[in-house]
Amino acid sequence: MKRDEALGHFAAIFCILVWGLTFISTKILLRDFAPFQILFIRFLIGWLALWAAAPKKISTNNKKDLLLFAGAGFSGVTLYFLLENVALTVSFASNVGVIVTVAPFFTGLLAWKFLASEKPASNFFIGFVVAIIGIAMISFNGASFKMSPFGDLLALLAALSWAIYSILTRKLAAPGRGSLATTRAIFFWGLVFMLPVILYEGINLEAEKLFKPVNALNMLFLGLLASALCFAAWTFSLKSLGAVKTSAYIYLVPVVTVFAAALVLHEPITRLSAGGALLTITGLVLAESRFPVSKKQA
């Protein structure tokens, strides 16, 4: 395994570990802030941090690159999180938890069509089935499945939106273009597309709540670590491993959440959730194995 590929796997695992913990910070912040307020502030902090770390103007070859940046910002920052947040308000959290992890499957299908160098093998789809069964065991944990057509559709669209983001970001991974600068440009467009919602709903922040130590620390965690650092690391993984192999790591988010909930919130790990975690990891291994990644740039 080459150095960049090994680092790509490490970066993806790091992102998943952090993203699996974000639900705790978000849950704390929801006591004082609306979901969209949290979304806007975390990505504004992330953009400022990336701008400070990589202030140099990013190189773009043509108008096509500009459209790719705008598309990635809209699909992966604005649309994905808005769809997921609304889905959580009108559907069941267990449903959304399962449905959004379909993103790697959509990524594989889109890569088949739009990335000439990434053609998913049969083991990728076998791994998807195994992982989804495991994730369903974790999310429902013995509870009966209840349909919420509108909310479940929004969650499915969120998964598709993340897949589109992965494909667009993979196409932006040009030689010599740093992950920090690429992510900064994507965040900028994500914030731009949030402006209409801000103008419609208003941000209405209260300084007393924002600078409360527990809120400030959780905002910084979401903005600096979960947004700026993790999105940049994810961009690096997409460049090093490809969109399909990187996206498969999304299967691990519910697994991390289960163990985080046990450690932080003292929620018990049942036999069903433990078995689901094992199946999910097995599915990831199947999806990652024997998948050749071409050196050819998509």
Side-chain angles (χ1 to χ4, degrees):
M1 183 182 294
K2 294 183 178 180
R3 180 175 176 272
D4 280 354
E5 187 177 351
L7 288 174
H9 285 291
F10 175 79
I13 293 171
F14 171 77
C15 292
I16 294 306
L17 289 174
V18 173
W19 287 339
L21 297 173
T22 55
F23 82 101
I24 298 175
S25 290
T26 303
K27 188 172 183 179
I28 292 171
L29 290 170
L30 283 171
R31 299 170 184 168
D32 292 323
F33 303 97
F36 186 76
Q37 291 177 322
I38 298 171
L39 176 64
F40 179 76
I41 295 170
R42 67 176 281 187
F43 280 101
L44 179 60
I45 292 172
W47 178 77
L48 291 172
L50 290 169
W51 181 81
K56 186 178 179 180
K57 185 179 179 181
I58 195 168
S59 60
T60 55
N61 299 325
N62 47 48
K63 291 182 179 179
K64 180 181 177 181
D65 282 353
L66 186 62
L67 290 173
L68 289 174
F69 277 116
F74 177 68
S75 60
V77 176
T78 307
L79 188 60
Y80 171 77
F81 285 98
L82 284 177
L83 287 170
E84 185 180 60
N85 286 343
V86 176
L88 285 169
T89 64
V90 296
S91 183
F92 302 95
S94 54
N95 291 27
V96 177
V98 173
I99 294 170
V100 295
T101 52
V102 177
F105 177 76
F106 284 144
T107 303
L109 294 180
L110 291 176
W112 196 295
K113 177 69 176 177
F114 297 106
L115 297 179
S117 61
E118 296 189 43
K119 300 291 185 182
S122 59
N123 59 283
F124 171 80
F125 296 104
I126 295 172
F128 164 76
V129 173
V130 174
I132 286 297
I133 293 173
I135 291 166
M137 290 169 63
I138 293 171
S139 297
F140 297 113
N141 201 13
S144 58
F145 178 78
K146 297 179 181 179
M147 290 290 292
S148 177
F150 180 62
D152 295 345
L153 175 61
L154 292 178
L156 193 65
L157 291 175
L160 178 59
S161 180
W162 185 262
I164 292 171
Y165 164 77
S166 297
I167 298 299
L168 295 178
T169 305
R170 176 72 176 104
K171 284 183 170 291
L172 286 167
R177 183 179 288 160
S179 299
L180 291 177
T182 299
T183 308
R184 186 197 72 211
I186 291 172
F187 277 22
F188 170 78
W189 283 106
L191 290 168
V192 167
F193 286 116
M194 288 183 201
L195 289 178
V197 183
I198 294 173
L199 294 174
Y200 177 76
E201 293 192 352
I203 198 72
N204 297 325
L205 287 175
E206 296 180 26
E208 182 181 353
K209 293 181 179 179
L210 184 60
F211 292 105
K212 188 188 299 184
V214 65
N215 288 340
L217 287 173
N218 281 287
M219 281 292 190
L220 288 173
F221 169 75
L222 291 176
L224 297 178
L225 197 60
S227 297
L229 184 57
C230 283
F231 270 73
W234 195 257
T235 300
F236 174 78
S237 294
L238 288 168
K239 184 176 181 179
S240 303
L241 305 177
V244 176
K245 293 193 76 171
T246 301
S247 293
Y249 278 103
I250 292 173
Y251 298 143
L252 290 183
V253 171
V255 177
V256 175
T257 299
V258 165
F259 289 101
L263 290 173
V264 180
L265 303 178
H266 306 293
E267 295 181 2
I269 298 177
T270 65
R271 291 182 180 179
L272 191 65
S273 60
L278 182 61
L279 270 180
T280 302
I281 294 171
T282 302
L284 172 63
V285 172
L286 286 171
E288 292 285 331
S289 64
R290 299 187 308 279
F291 182 82
V293 179
S294 173
K295 296 181 180 179
K296 180 182 177 182
Q297 175 66 36

